[in-house]
Amino acid sequence: MSEISKTYEPQAVESKWYQYWLDKKFFAGDARSPKPAYAIVIPPPNITGVLHMGHVLNAAMQDILARKARMDGKEVLWLPGTDHASIATHLVLERELKKTERLTRHDLGREKFIERAWGWKEKHGSIIIQQLKKLGCSCDWTRERFTMDPEYSRCVSKVFVDLFNKGFIYRGKRMVNWCPATLTALSDEEVDMEPQKGFLYYFKVEVAEQPGTFLTIATTRPETIPGDTAIAVNPKDPRYAAFIGQHAIRPLPSELPREKKLIPIIADEHVDFEFGTGVLKVTPAHDKADFEVGQRHNLPAVEIMTPSAMMNDLAGADMSGLDRFAARKVAVEKLRELGSLVKEEPYENKVGFSQRARVPIEPRLSEQWFLKYPSAEQARRCVASGEMKFHPDRWAKVYDHWMGNIQDWCISRQLWWGHRIPVWRRKVTSEDGGLKMEQGEDGRGNSLAGAHSTSSVYVGVDPPPDPEAWEQDPDVLDTWFSSWLWPFATMGWTGDKGIDSKNETLKKFYPTTDLVTAPEIIFFWVARMIMAGYEYMGEMPFRNVYFTGIVRDKLGQKMSKTLGNSPDPLDLIAKYGADAVRFGTMRSAPLGQDVLFDEKDVELGRNFCNKLWNACRFRQMQGGEAQGEIDPGRLRSDEKWILLKLDRAISEVTDSLAAYKFSEAGQTLYRFFWSEFCDWYLEASKPVLQGRSRQGPEADAGQPKDPMPPPAGAAEEEQRTNTLAVMDFVLSHTLRLLHPVLPFITEELWHGMGYEHDMPENQGGQTIQFAPWPKPLDQDFKGFYGLDDCYIEIVDAKYELVTQGRNLRREANIPFNKKVKFIFKPVGAVPPNDVDVLKVLLNAETLEITLDYQPKKGTPTAHSELGELFMPLEGLIDLDAEKARLAKELEKAALEITKVEQKLNNPAFVGKVPTTVLQEHQKRLSDWQAKQTYLQKALEGLGEK
RNA sequence: GCGCGCUUAGCUCAGUGGUAGAGCAUUUCCCUCACACGGAAGGGGUCGCAGGUUCAAAUCCUGCAGCGCGCACCA
């Protein structure tokens, strides 16, 4: 670091060190290492994605944890990889197919489509990985996994077969969330409820047994009337009790004869008689709740829509072939024509939307594979008991609530890209041309090892022995059915229960230590991983879960590609450097709060790096060997102060990181390094370092002389060396504290400053990332160097005096670059060093120490614990302005005094409060009183002039 | 409807019983030989509202309001 530039230029530095780290294999997680393990598995980004700010936040947190753990002497495995993202990838591919070739996936065919998907994965799947590298992520890239790797896929199949054999997986015709756009079933979690403005339509139906009597029904979906197979009322509702058991005449389809439209009026508790008219139309085939009603009452379920939510012939001639929304309008018109429509009123209700395709889902009766969650009780308990910790812990409640109400999971998807369901059916040509699964025989919990086979159904990891005779289930599994195995399937798990004793990776790194993820996927992923962990490893998959906030823009909007409000992190990195992006992100991400991203934060990070760079540059320019011995006898009070502040910062940062309070750690680092180290310590070192300590004769006035002063030049040189040693000590620790957040610049400076030379090869000799994490200074150290906490106060008082002195300048309108003569009247002895420091920090021309100084009245004076500082005014100042200022100050002092006196005169206060508090108040009172006296005098002085 | 979170300086947020804090923005001064991606000194808050507990409340309790987010079969 011989010739260093004035500003830090991250670009070259970052790529250089990243390559170095990779070459030296520093990120490798060694399963055979004797060090204690620390493991994180990355939440695998989708292969369709490009890096956005959410990833940056998430990855930066993980990297901070991983790097900190390395410095703590842990064997770190941060396992990276990507997710095939079945449905998301599907959508992207289909969209592209349509756009570029005007083809559907069906035109292409399954095989070709999957080929394309793999092509996409090869082309785009690694983009995000490259971007993570730019950010400095210290993942073990040699272990990168993909959820559709052959070994991984095999695990997925094994788990399917196992859960099937255990009776957790079953096939059934149920009401599912059907996405008419992607033509697949979805899980409950993939449906978002969104408010929709629409109308509530009231229509009447005639009671068959009582001609001329009508019941009025309110509905938001008149187009489903042809599918109604009952009218329901609440059994307790007196208004309608008489009709129960009778029949209603359904108005639609209008062309049907009356007898084909008779539907029973039934009683069901589900009906809320507060809502609408208290009469419910029951459409078992197109509404989840109605389906259940239908089940209870053995009602037929009449499907009146096609899979893509077009009305079919059963909907009647008027609506057949229409899209469901167009059909709604037609149905209303038809009801109007028939005279059935009573009224329509504007209404807002919540409608389920397909999360991916952004269209309203259609509840639909469909035969699908379902999973009854295994190990759910255990999974619920481990969080409730605190065995597994959530940060912030309020998510534990959310998790618990969900775990207490879980429904079976629909795991089959009518898609092609993904893990194909390992079930085969014997080819038969049945009457209806379909393939049927045998009912009743696919028994549960059979002891069949591995494959399960009956005469017509085969469930196995490998295809059946005579594949020609069988046909595989066309569906694939929900993406999350593979992701939930991530913490162990990525570690070479082979699908056997428990940890294989030959699998060193699992033995060493499972359970993992921390999981860092977004709260949005707590159900999708986190909960399911916990269940899978217990079911297959017999143990929780991770000990801690840290939930990051959601990254929003300045206006609080969620960042998204469609809004275009997400800056490209790569642009930011190019502009400000990766460290700056990390620092800015971390500093603005308080525990569990959403992050409002602002480029200003990154700018702050860049500025911080620049400050760090320049502080080190300053140290470099002083010359001298790095990290010499510190001589306790030569420690100036400023040095003791900064060492104590360092000690405090170490504790605070360590504690904050242990509690996942990243922004708190960031603030501490910022404050310590910028305010304490640079603004005060570094400045206070200048008199020693830059030979400004040569004082005029006034320097030693007012205090006892050193009995045996060493020869001037030599003493000065030794003092200088010692100060540099302290500076190196502090900087070396600071770089280490900063390394998890700022990996690149700290590595550069670690070497540039030569701090690696003193370290053992494997502990910081090659890289700062293995340098030991700073520990708070122990008592022996403090004792040896005389680091008593009182130095904090003593030096704080000194700096406070400086601030006051600077304030005098400002108040008298004297620019800081103008040297001023100060006179100091100390209360006690002032060490020569302090005189030097005061003089430099005040930019004083001279600092005269006088014990018996009698200031002219009106001389600007600063009062402090150390004494009074005067700034005699030679030149002219505005008397009136000065008077006004003093009067204002006086007013404030009087107010404060009254406040404190009130408290001290309150017997209840005095009686109950600890003495320390009382002392503080008394001190405050006397401080203000002193100030009051001074102000009065000064005011009088001005008046006399 | 139930649950959760938020409400503190112009903005973004720290602060869980003892004199209201940070960063940004703002004002004034300074290109002083580490750094103008900088330095110095300021200004600026009845801590959402209303009660309560306490000698003392931004902090604990109750209620209310506004915003946001989950969950839920109100058609």
Side-chain angles (χ1 to χ4, degrees):
Chain A
M1 201 163 126
S2 45
E3 276 296 310
I4 40 180
S5 57
K6 270 175 101 163
T7 51
Y8 171 57
E9 278 141 27
Q11 287 72 23
V13 170
E14 291 180 356
S15 51
K16 172 183 77 181
W17 287 115
Y18 203 82
Q19 196 53 49
Y20 173 77
W21 296 331
L22 287 180
D23 291 346
K24 294 276 187 174
K25 300 185 167 54
F26 289 149
F27 302 157
D30 178 7
R32 297 184 181 175
S33 160
K35 297 180 190 174
Y38 177 91
I40 300 187
V41 289
I42 204 169
N46 292 351
I47 50 168
T48 51
V50 285
L51 197 72
H52 61 246
M53 289 314 292
H55 292 118
V56 168
L57 175 70
N58 178 271
M61 299 296 161
Q62 292 173 77
D63 200 41
I64 289 167
L65 291 171
R67 287 176 184 274
K68 163 76 165 49
R70 260 181 220 113
M71 296 176 79
D72 279 334
K74 305 271 177 62
E75 184 61 31
V76 172
L77 171 61
W78 182 11
L79 210 160
T82 46
D83 193 295
H84 68 284
S86 170
I87 191 163
T89 309
H90 234 275
L91 282 171
V92 171
L93 284 173
E94 287 188 294
R95 208 173 297 146
E96 195 167 81
L97 209 53
K98 193 171 174 188
K99 208 172 108 189
T100 59
E101 295 165 63
R102 312 210 133 272
L103 293 176
T104 68
R105 69 170 146 129
H106 298 282
D107 299 330
L108 207 61
R110 183 164 191 147
E111 229 171 276
K112 279 257 185 327
F113 184 81
I114 293 176
E115 234 170 69
R116 296 260 180 131
W118 278 105
W120 174 281
K121 191 257 166 187
E122 295 313 320
K123 203 169 153 197
H124 298 95
S126 60
I127 292 180
I128 201 154
I129 297 297
Q130 295 312 317
Q131 290 174 319
L132 288 174
K133 290 179 181 176
K134 284 263 181 252
L135 194 64
C137 293
S138 59
C139 302
D140 184 350
W141 300 111
T142 63
R143 294 178 188 261
E144 187 184 332
R145 295 287 184 272
F146 176 53
T147 49
M148 278 174 64
D149 284 340
E151 311 80 44
Y152 199 109
S153 297
R154 206 172 161 79
C155 290
V156 173
S157 296
K158 275 200 170 184
V159 165
F160 183 96
V161 172
D162 179 68
L163 289 171
F164 177 83
N165 287 339
K166 288 195 284 202
F168 285 108
I169 287 179
Y170 60 92
R171 190 165 169 82
K173 193 161 184 179
R174 296 278 193 99
M175 215 52 187
V176 297
N177 304 301
W178 183 262
C179 174
T182 43
L183 299 179
T184 178
L186 299 173
S187 66
D188 295 343
E189 288 68 37
E190 287 166 293
V191 177
D192 291 335
M193 300 305 277
E194 285 179 22
Q196 281 293 296
K197 286 205 172 94
F199 289 91
L200 192 58
Y201 304 94
Y202 292 78
F203 69 99
K204 55 184 182 178
V205 293
E206 190 169 16
V207 180
E209 285 81 355
Q210 302 182 39
T213 304
F214 293 89
L215 293 178
T216 303
I217 303 172
T219 182
T220 53
R221 301 202 65 186
E223 74 277 16
T224 62
I225 292 175
D228 291 352
T229 53
I231 300 292
V233 296
N234 193 298
K236 290 180 193 139
D237 192 334
R239 291 175 293 176
Y240 306 114
F243 301 109
I244 296 168
Q246 301 188 336
H247 294 78
I249 305 163
R250 202 180 59 203
L252 300 174
S254 56
E255 70 269 24
L256 281 190
R258 172 191 157 104
E259 63 273 15
K260 293 230 172 183
K261 296 189 289 189
L262 284 184
I263 51 175
I265 300 171
I266 59 169
D268 195 284
E269 294 281 348
H270 162 252
V271 181
D272 174 1
F273 48 87
E274 302 276 311
F275 186 89
T277 57
V279 186
L280 172 70
K281 67 192 260 313
V282 183
T283 327
H286 295 285
D287 184 280
K288 215 173 167 185
D290 289 5
F291 177 72
E292 283 161 26
V293 175
Q295 294 262 295
R296 284 196 286 273
H297 298 272
N298 257 320
L299 300 173
V302 179
E303 287 188 58
I304 55 163
M305 280 182 229
T306 67
S308 44
M310 308 292 268
M311 309 310 287
N312 66 19
D313 292 345
L314 291 176
D318 298 315
M319 290 195 277
S320 177
L322 291 180
D323 155 76
R324 53 189 159 157
F325 302 109
R328 183 171 303 166
K329 288 185 185 137
V330 171
V332 174
E333 278 320 303
K334 210 66 209 168
L335 289 172
R336 207 190 303 275
E337 272 173 38
L338 294 167
S340 298
L341 192 70
V342 177
K343 61 171 173 175
E344 47 188 312
E345 52 189 37
Y347 185 71
E348 187 173 298
N349 67 338
K350 298 227 176 159
V351 175
F353 273 70
S354 159
Q355 202 173 64
R356 288 290 172 188
R358 307 307 323 167
V359 299
I361 59 117
E362 194 55 49
R364 181 165 182 257
L365 213 47
S366 168
E367 199 174 359
Q368 300 287 342
W369 290 98
F370 294 92
L371 169 68
K372 184 171 149 24
Y373 287 103
S375 297
E377 261 319 300
Q378 236 177 327
R380 190 179 179 187
R381 217 174 325 128
C382 80
V383 175
S385 70
E387 201 187 343
M388 181 190 289
K389 296 229 169 22
F390 281 11
H391 309 270
D393 64 357
R394 64 189 157 88
W395 294 109
K397 264 190 226 167
V398 177
Y399 171 83
D400 192 67
H401 182 253
W402 189 77
M403 289 300 289
N405 296 284
I406 35 175
Q407 310 274 314
D408 291 357
W409 174 14
C410 175
I411 52 172
S412 45
R413 297 288 177 275
Q414 288 64 57
L415 303 169
W416 293 340
W417 173 242
H419 301 95
R420 194 156 173 184
I421 290 175
V423 173
W424 285 258
R425 294 179 190 86
R426 190 173 285 283
K427 285 177 184 164
V428 284
T429 35
S430 59
E431 300 269 312
D432 54 4
L435 286 158
K436 275 175 110 180
M437 173 133 171
E438 251 176 54
Q439 293 299 319
E441 212 198 316
D442 49 327
R444 309 281 178 246
N446 308 25
S447 56
L448 289 166
H452 169 103
S453 178
T454 67
S455 57
S456 59
V457 176
Y458 173 93
V459 181
V461 175
D462 298 304
D466 49 343
E468 303 76 27
W470 301 82
E471 188 149 327
Q472 190 171 5
D473 191 303
D475 293 351
V476 298
L477 290 162
D478 183 359
T479 305
W480 302 100
F481 191 87
S482 59
S483 320
W484 75 329
L485 311 176
W486 189 250
F488 46 91
T490 49
M491 291 193 187
W493 182 62
T494 52
D496 300 310
K497 184 149 185 160
I499 296 174
D500 180 356
S501 59
K502 288 190 296 260
N503 184 326
E504 291 177 326
T505 303
L506 271 179
K507 261 166 61 191
K508 179 82 186 173
F509 295 111
Y510 192 94
T512 64
T513 319
D514 293 328
L515 178 78
V516 178
T517 191
E520 301 159 289
I521 53 175
I522 184 168
F523 309 135
F524 276 115
W525 195 46
V526 180
R528 288 165 179 165
M529 274 195 290
I530 297 172
M531 291 187 267
Y534 277 111
E535 185 66 14
Y536 289 101
M537 292 293 113
E539 221 178 328
M540 59 171 87
F542 24 75
R543 301 182 200 285
N544 298 287
V545 184
Y546 172 75
F547 290 101
T548 61
I550 295 166
V551 183
R552 300 172 181 281
D553 67 9
K554 269 190 276 193
L555 304 171
Q557 296 170 302
K558 200 169 150 180
M559 286 196 170
S560 72
K561 236 189 277 180
T562 43
L563 278 176
N565 57 354
S566 177
D568 183 346
L570 288 189
D571 292 344
L572 290 175
I573 290 172
K575 193 167 163 194
Y576 299 103
D579 287 332
V581 173
R582 293 166 61 114
F583 191 86
T585 313
M586 173 213 195
R587 220 176 142 281
S588 58
L591 181 64
Q593 289 302 121
D594 285 356
V595 181
L596 267 68
F597 178 81
D598 188 342
E599 196 167 320
K600 288 265 180 202
D601 293 323
V602 179
E603 211 176 296
L604 182 84
R606 190 252 337 242
N607 295 354
F608 186 83
C609 289
N610 193 244
K611 189 78 177 174
L612 181 63
W613 181 259
N614 273 291
C616 288
R617 196 162 76 98
F618 174 77
R619 163 64 191 92
Q620 273 313 72
M621 291 165 77
Q622 305 308 318
E625 200 186 326
Q627 278 191 307
E629 285 284 309
I630 297 174
D631 173 3
R634 291 196 173 279
L635 279 181
R636 304 144 63 222
S637 57
D638 304 276
E639 260 111 40
K640 292 179 180 175
W641 180 86
I642 194 63
L643 287 169
L644 288 161
K645 289 284 189 186
L646 171 69
D647 176 52
R648 200 176 280 185
I650 292 170
S651 304
E652 286 180 25
V653 172
T654 307
D655 292 348
S656 297
L657 288 181
Y660 305 90
K661 293 180 175 172
F662 296 97
S663 65
E664 195 178 88
Q667 282 193 27
T668 303
L669 288 165
Y670 190 92
R671 185 208 66 218
F672 168 71
F673 174 71
W674 202 305
S675 312
E676 293 169 356
F677 183 78
C678 292
D679 288 349
W680 288 111
Y681 175 66
L682 221 72
E683 296 302 323
S685 302
K686 285 182 178 174
V688 176
L689 297 177
Q690 300 182 335
R692 294 202 197 161
S693 58
R694 278 172 294 276
Q695 290 288 322
E698 80 282 3
D700 287 341
Q703 60 230 314
K705 296 255 179 209
D706 194 326
M708 270 182 47
E716 253 173 42
E717 199 43 47
E718 277 174 45
Q719 185 59 262
R720 210 181 119 81
T721 309
N722 205 47
T723 292
L724 289 179
V726 172
M727 206 169 273
D728 282 326
F729 182 87
V730 177
L731 276 175
S732 148
H733 281 72
T734 305
L735 287 178
R736 280 181 268 165
L737 289 175
L738 288 167
H739 177 257
V741 188
L742 310 173
F744 294 110
I745 188 173
T746 51
E747 184 78 281
E748 172 76 8
L749 290 170
W750 184 252
H751 294 269
M753 302 295 287
Y755 293 156
E756 86 276 26
H757 296 316
D758 293 348
M759 311 299 277
E761 177 85 345
N762 59 351
Q763 278 184 33
Q766 292 185 77
T767 169
I768 188 172
Q769 64 191 290
F770 293 121
W773 181 256
K775 298 220 176 355
L777 309 177
D778 61 34
Q779 283 314 313
D780 288 350
F781 184 97
K782 286 187 181 174
F784 183 71
Y785 288 103
L787 302 180
D788 191 290
D789 279 343
C790 71
Y791 281 101
I792 297 248
E793 280 173 48
I794 292 171
V795 176
D796 277 348
K798 175 163 72 184
Y799 296 159
E800 176 57 30
L801 179 67
V802 170
T803 301
Q804 290 192 32
R806 288 166 172 169
N807 201 0
L808 294 181
R809 275 175 176 277
R810 176 188 148 87
E811 280 165 358
N813 249 331
I814 314 241
F816 193 78
N817 59 350
K818 183 171 181 187
K819 300 231 176 206
V820 173
K821 288 180 184 165
F822 281 97
I823 292 163
F824 185 39
K825 190 172 166 186
V827 289
V830 185
N833 164 65
D834 284 358
V835 179
D836 298 339
V837 170
L838 286 171
K839 197 178 156 196
V840 168
L841 294 187
L842 287 166
N843 197 23
E845 187 184 346
T846 56
L847 180 70
E848 188 183 323
I849 307 275
T850 321
L851 287 172
D852 52 0
Y853 179 69
Q854 292 299 323
K856 270 202 244 169
K857 286 196 169 167
T859 302
T861 309
H863 297 268
S864 82
E865 289 175 42
L866 300 182
E868 289 171 306
L869 185 70
F870 306 97
M871 189 177 72
L873 291 168
E874 241 62 291
L876 46 152
I877 60 160
D878 184 342
L879 276 183
D880 290 334
E882 184 65 3
K883 268 192 211 166
R885 185 184 70 81
L886 291 174
K888 205 174 149 194
E889 291 275 310
L890 205 52
E891 216 171 281
K892 190 178 165 193
L895 195 78
E896 290 293 332
I897 288 167
T898 321
K899 258 165 74 180
V900 183
E901 272 177 349
Q902 257 170 13
K903 272 188 156 183
L904 287 173
N905 287 334
N906 182 345
F909 175 77
V910 177
K912 291 209 178 182
V913 145
T915 45
T916 49
V917 176
L918 216 54
Q919 281 164 2
E920 274 172 35
H921 279 77
Q922 271 154 358
K923 185 172 177 296
R924 235 164 77 202
L925 183 64
S926 58
D927 284 354
W928 280 110
Q929 282 168 339
K931 184 156 187 183
Q932 193 180 36
T933 317
Y934 157 74
L935 288 167
Q936 273 161 355
K937 274 191 187 165
L939 205 54
E940 283 164 22
L942 286 181
E944 278 173 21
K945 269 196 169 176

